[in-house]
Amino acid sequence: MTAPGPGGPSHPVPSPPRDRPESLADLLGGRRGAVDATAPPVAFALGWLATGRTLVGGVAAAVLVGTVVAAWRLRRGDRPRSVLIGLLAVCVAALIALRTGRATDFFLVQVLSNVASALAWVVSIVIRWPLLGVLVGVALRQRGRWRRDPALLRAYGRGSWVWAATYAVRVAVFVPLYLGGQVVALVVARVALTWPLVASALAVSWLVIRRSLPAGHPGLRHPVTVPGSGAAPDPGTEPGTNPGTEPGVGTKRERPPRGERPLR
């Protein structure tokens, strides 16, 4: 496409970029967060082994790498709040290990956070505020509009079960290794169950959401909202009736014409 320039000759006008449907990986960031989360534990294990299995060596290496990762994240434009939270988690893990004198306690925060995350995802599904919908809704700046789309609410609920399962798998692996004092095995499990598991969860949950949405649905960015509805109606409920009542109960009855007595 061309357009006339100031002096008369035409010059090319760039065409607007085509909208590309975003996957959950685009919205939730997956790989970067996973790499950032695994660097300090790997540094802890390497420092712990290199210094003859001393906690000071492992803690120093983990905090140093955590600081470098935080600086790198700030330089690439990540939010300072999330960067500081990540660095704070490394420092708290280091302090717990130094306090107890056990190397495996460096991973205590990780174990507890995965237990809490698994419970949070399950509870969010039960109360019909699936965390997957919350996260994607925040990323797309939709606030709560997605909850007024019954099909999208149902799809996010099914997709959230995938993420709840990932945290349950981590807990099932981490807890026995933690109780057994397996430091190196915990690091290997941390790496194996971070990005590979996140990538699998992203792909599977995205597939679940797409298959859960009815044909013709405009997608995540365009909720089909139902005014005044924050959840899907119960199946089998007739329009104009309240759930749990018989058809006609709770609806306005017609009055007979003036002068006529109602039939009984």
Side-chain angles (χ1 to χ4, degrees):
M1 181 184 296
T2 60
S10 60
H11 63 277
V13 176
S15 301
R18 296 181 179 179
D19 291 334
R20 177 178 62 88
E22 292 184 333
S23 65
L24 291 179
D26 297 326
L27 297 174
L28 301 180
R31 181 178 299 180
R32 289 183 178 180
V35 172
D36 296 348
T38 56
V42 171
F44 173 83
L46 293 177
W48 180 67
L49 293 172
T51 57
R53 301 194 174 190
T54 62
L55 277 176
V56 175
V59 165
V63 173
L64 177 61
V65 171
T67 303
V68 172
V69 169
W72 175 59
R73 292 181 62 188
L74 287 174
R75 186 175 181 180
R76 76 185 184 195
D78 287 5
R79 294 183 178 181
R81 180 179 179 181
S82 63
V83 173
L84 292 177
I85 290 176
L87 182 58
L88 179 62
V90 176
C91 294
V92 170
L95 289 175
I96 292 175
L98 290 175
R99 178 73 175 177
T100 63
R102 298 178 62 221
T104 50
D105 283 341
F106 180 83
F107 302 91
L108 180 60
V109 173
Q110 165 192 330
V111 173
L112 295 179
S113 65
N114 279 278
V115 172
S117 297
L119 293 174
W121 280 88
V122 172
V123 170
S124 74
I125 299 168
V126 172
I127 65 175
R128 300 179 67 78
W129 271 92
L131 280 177
L132 187 57
V134 174
L135 294 174
V136 177
V138 170
L140 297 180
R141 300 180 181 179
Q142 294 174 342
R143 296 187 179 180
R145 284 194 301 119
W146 58 272
R147 290 197 75 247
R148 297 196 294 273
D149 183 341
L152 201 53
L153 177 62
R154 181 170 57 252
Y156 279 137
R158 294 175 179 175
S160 294
W161 280 115
V162 177
W163 289 89
T166 63
Y167 288 103
V169 169
R170 289 175 181 171
V171 171
V173 174
F174 291 156
V175 170
L177 295 177
Y178 172 79
L179 296 177
Q182 303 296 321
V183 176
V184 177
L186 277 168
V187 175
V188 174
R190 175 67 178 265
V191 175
L193 296 179
T194 304
W195 169 238
L197 191 61
V198 169
S200 301
L202 285 169
V204 174
S205 58
W206 175 242
L207 181 62
V208 168
I209 287 177
R210 290 191 62 181
R211 292 193 172 184
S212 298
L213 293 177
H217 192 280
L220 306 185
R221 287 187 174 276
H222 306 284
V224 182
T225 58
V226 178
S229 173
D234 292 334
T237 303
E238 296 183 9
T241 62
N242 296 325
T245 61
E246 298 179 359
V249 177
T251 59
K252 187 177 180 181
R253 297 182 179 178
E254 291 188 9
R255 294 183 178 180
R258 183 174 297 178
E260 294 183 14
R261 300 180 64 182
L263 298 176
R264 298 184 181 276

